[in-house]
């Protein structure tokens, strides 16, 4: 069953636990935060799927997405 959480909830392991989910959808987040990358990386290592939907807010910060999530080829995302 889908559950929508805020970024604050996502960062709180008690409120935004990922273990019970098969996928995480990040929908047009305005700015990626290095704080939530370790949780996403751990989720992906356990076989979880991550879908990143870039919209107008995210599109203004593509360089930040590459810096935080691509990490020179060692991150979750390919370079856009």
């Amino acid at each position: 069953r889908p559950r929508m959480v805020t970024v604050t909830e996502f960062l709180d392991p008690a409120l935004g636990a990922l273990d019970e989910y098969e996928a995480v959808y990040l929908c047009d987040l305005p700015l990626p935060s290095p704080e939530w990358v370790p949780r996403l990386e751990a989720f992906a290592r356990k076989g979880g799927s991550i879908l990143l939907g870039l919209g107008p807010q995210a599109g203004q910060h593509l360089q930040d997405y590459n810096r935080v999530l691509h990490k020179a080829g060692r991150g979750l995302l390919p370079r856009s």
Side-chain angles (χ1 to χ4, degrees), residues 13 21 28 31 39 52 55-56 60 65 80:
Y21 301 102
D28 196 27
L31 192 59
R39 293 199 67 209
L52 183 64
Q60 296 175 13
Y65 272 86
S80 61

Side-chain angles (χ1 to χ4, degrees), residues 31-70:
L31 192 59
S33 169
E35 294 174 327
W36 41 262
V37 172
R39 293 199 67 209
L40 291 174
E41 290 173 337
F43 180 71
R45 276 193 302 274
K46 291 180 181 178
S49 298
I50 300 169
L51 177 84
L52 183 64
L54 300 177
Q57 293 183 89
Q60 296 175 13
H61 300 279
L62 291 180
Q63 289 181 350
D64 294 310
Y65 272 86
N66 282 327
R67 180 180 48 78
V68 171
L69 297 173
H70 180 257

